[in-house]
Amino acid sequence: DARVTQTPRHKVTEMGQEVTMRCQPILGHNTVFWYRQTMMQGLELLAYFRNRAPLDDSGMPKDRFSAEMPDATLATLKIQPSEPRDSAVYFCASGLGTGGHTEAFFGQGTRLTVV
Amino acid sequence: AQSVTQLGSHVSVSEGALVLLRCNYSSSVPPYLFWYVQYPNQGLQLLLKYTSAATLVKGINGFEAEFKKSETSFHLTKPSAHMSDAAEYFCAVSGLQGAQKLVFGQGTRLTINP
């Protein structure tokens, strides 16, 4: 059963520390999304990639966040330095972009708490 | 600019009653539209999608949605609510201005009363 795998599922870290979240997309999918979910803001699109190239990262705070796809089986989202306001659930989703749209399959999320 | 709007952050219905969750999009060109469901502490799961084929789309768990271009709407319905339908529901849009990114509405929390 193909699924998007995110690690870690939970992360508690101190303010100022670097945080790295990892995502293994479904094999064969050419599009990867990173979302952040909070009670106040809902689901925010941070960045998305097509064929490992970043297409849009306008939703991501550039000074502390970075997203990469070192290869087709791994996507990473880093926060350095982390701040309490970064506490949220971060979701990775992958899909096969076709016909002008992408149907996304979501991972279970990484719940980040910055203290 | 808000590209998809869900009317009602909370909806409560009785078990067995009709479920209606509202979604409107803002685009002069019909985009691709989706409904996702999120159960507590889970990721999002696709319920159904509209991709310019039939305007009435049937999804999983007895849900369906109708695309109405004249009303720029894509409301989600289920004839008879079940307790297991309690969850958060998200409407999403893709294909706006040629971009394939998937943008979500604010979500509607559905509560089912016994």
Side-chain angles (χ1 to χ4, degrees), chain A residues 9 31 33 35 37 39-43 45 48 50 56 58 91 96-109 111, chain B residues 32-34 36 38 40-46 49-51 88 90 92 94-96 98-106 109:
Chain A
R9 288 293 311 277
T31 305
F33 301 91
Y35 290 90
Q37 186 177 35
M39 289 291 289
M40 293 300 294
Q41 300 297 327
L43 271 166
L45 178 64
Y48 81 109
R50 172 65 51 81
D56 187 342
S58 59
F91 286 105
L96 187 60
T98 179
H101 71 280
T102 304
E103 175 184 329
F105 294 81
F106 279 73
Q108 296 282 70
R111 182 175 295 276
Chain B
Y32 301 96
L33 295 156
F34 307 80
Y36 282 80
Q38 184 180 30
N41 299 315
Q42 301 275 325
L44 280 73
Q45 179 184 3
L46 181 68
K49 63 180 180 180
Y50 167 75
T51 57
E88 184 123 21
F90 293 90
S94 179
L96 290 177
Q100 295 201 20
K101 61 184 180 181
L102 191 59
V103 178
F104 285 85
Q106 285 293 91
R109 183 168 298 279

Side-chain angles (χ1 to χ4, degrees), chain B residues 29-99:
Chain B
V29 176
Y32 301 96
L33 295 156
F34 307 80
W35 275 99
Y36 282 80
V37 61
Q38 184 180 30
Y39 299 102
N41 299 315
Q42 301 275 325
L44 280 73
Q45 179 184 3
L46 181 68
L47 273 179
L48 49 80
K49 63 180 180 180
Y50 167 75
T51 57
S52 74
T55 57
L56 182 62
V57 182
K58 295 188 183 298
I60 62 172
N61 301 339
F63 284 93
E64 62 181 37
E66 186 172 8
F67 172 73
K68 291 187 177 180
K69 182 179 178 180
S70 60
E71 299 177 7
T72 61
S73 68
F74 190 56
H75 302 332
L76 182 71
T77 60
K78 182 173 180 177
S80 177
H82 192 273
M83 296 299 291
S84 60
D85 295 327
E88 184 123 21
Y89 291 81
F90 293 90
C91 183
V93 62
S94 179
L96 290 177
Q97 300 175 333

Side-chain angles (χ1 to χ4, degrees), chain A residues 44-67:
Chain A
E44 302 173 275
L45 178 64
L46 298 176
Y48 81 109
F49 293 75
R50 172 65 51 81
N51 296 323
R52 296 177 53 202
L55 286 192
D56 187 342
D57 61 1
S58 59
M60 199 163 65
K62 300 293 192 302
D63 56 339
R64 299 183 300 108
F65 285 61
S66 63

